């Protein structure tokens, strides 16, 4: 709660509900674009380290001649887990509980990972950051973690 107050003080336009709505949309857009290998579409929304990691994973998938298919069925829950000001950056972590279908296919279209007929419930914690002194209203994804 103290972190949210710090962020709201630094950025009076910030609201937790508004942030979560944007975070949900960003989650779905980023997950689907990553699966499809459309890195340039999401580059403006990723911090440098996350972009490098995602791009390397896409490149490895392409080198293996594999194709990922991801369908986000629903975002069951999005919960703020941390919020703080770090210098000029507002930093907020969100735990997403989602239902997804994830499949990786080889060059012949055979499933090598996942099951196209199974909906998995996944829990991820994503951390977003934004320089509150910037005119750019977009938050960047600066960290991802999959819950065990």
């Amino acid at each position: 709660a103290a972190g949210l107050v710090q962020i709201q003080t630094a950025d009076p336009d910030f609201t937790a509900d508004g942030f979560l709505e944007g975070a949900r949309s960003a989650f779905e857009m980023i997950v689907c674009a990553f699966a499809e290998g459309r890195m340039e579409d999401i580059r403006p929304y990723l911090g440098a380290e996350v972009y490098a990691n995602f791009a390397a994973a896409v490149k490895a998938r392409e080198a293996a001649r594999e194709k990922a298919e991801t369908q986000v069925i629903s975002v069951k829950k999005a919960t703020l887990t941390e919020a703080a000001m770090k210098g000029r950056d507002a930093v907020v972590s969100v735990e997403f509980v989602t239902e997804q279908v994830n499949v990786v296919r080889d060059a012949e279209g055979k499933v090598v990972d996942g099951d196209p007929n199974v909906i998995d419930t996944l829990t991820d914690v994503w951390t977003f950051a934004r320089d509150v002194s910037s005119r750019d209203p977009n938050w960047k994804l600066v960290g991802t973690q999959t819950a065990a």
Side-chain angles (χ1 to χ4, degrees):
L4 289 175
V5 171
Q6 290 174 345
I7 293 171
Q8 287 169 327
T9 300
D11 179 2
D13 293 332
F14 176 87
T15 65
D17 289 343
F19 175 83
L20 282 172
E21 184 179 318
R24 282 175 179 259
S25 296
F27 181 90
E28 292 186 56
M29 176 193 59
I30 291 169
V31 165
C32 292
F34 168 71
E36 294 169 8
R38 295 183 292 112
M39 292 304 300
E40 289 308 309
D41 290 357
I42 56 176
R43 185 177 202 141
Y45 309 105
L46 305 179
E49 185 178 336
V50 171
Y51 177 82
N53 291 338
F54 281 18
V58 168
K59 195 172 262 188
R61 212 171 43 222
E62 289 171 351
R65 299 182 58 221
E66 293 177 340
K67 183 178 180 218
E69 298 170 4
T70 295
Q71 183 180 5
V72 178
I73 305 298
S74 72
V75 177
K76 293 175 71 165
K77 193 165 80 168
T79 308
L80 289 173
T81 58
E82 287 185 53
M85 285 298 301
K86 295 184 180 173
R88 292 189 328 230
D89 290 338
V91 180
V92 180
S93 294
V94 179
E95 180 182 80
F96 292 98
V97 178
T98 62
E99 292 181 321
Q100 298 181 34
V101 176
N102 290 292
V103 176
V104 177
R105 297 180 188 271
D106 65 15
E108 286 77 46
K110 293 181 185 162
V111 174
V112 294
D113 190 30
D115 185 331
N117 301 309
V118 173
I119 298 173
D120 292 315
T121 299
L122 304 173
T123 302
D124 295 288
V125 177
W126 282 20
T127 301
F128 299 89
R130 179 179 170 275
D131 179 344
V132 295
S133 67
S134 170
R135 289 185 175 177
D136 183 355
N138 291 319
W139 291 73
K140 290 189 185 272
L141 177 62
V142 297
T144 64
Q145 188 176 1
T146 301

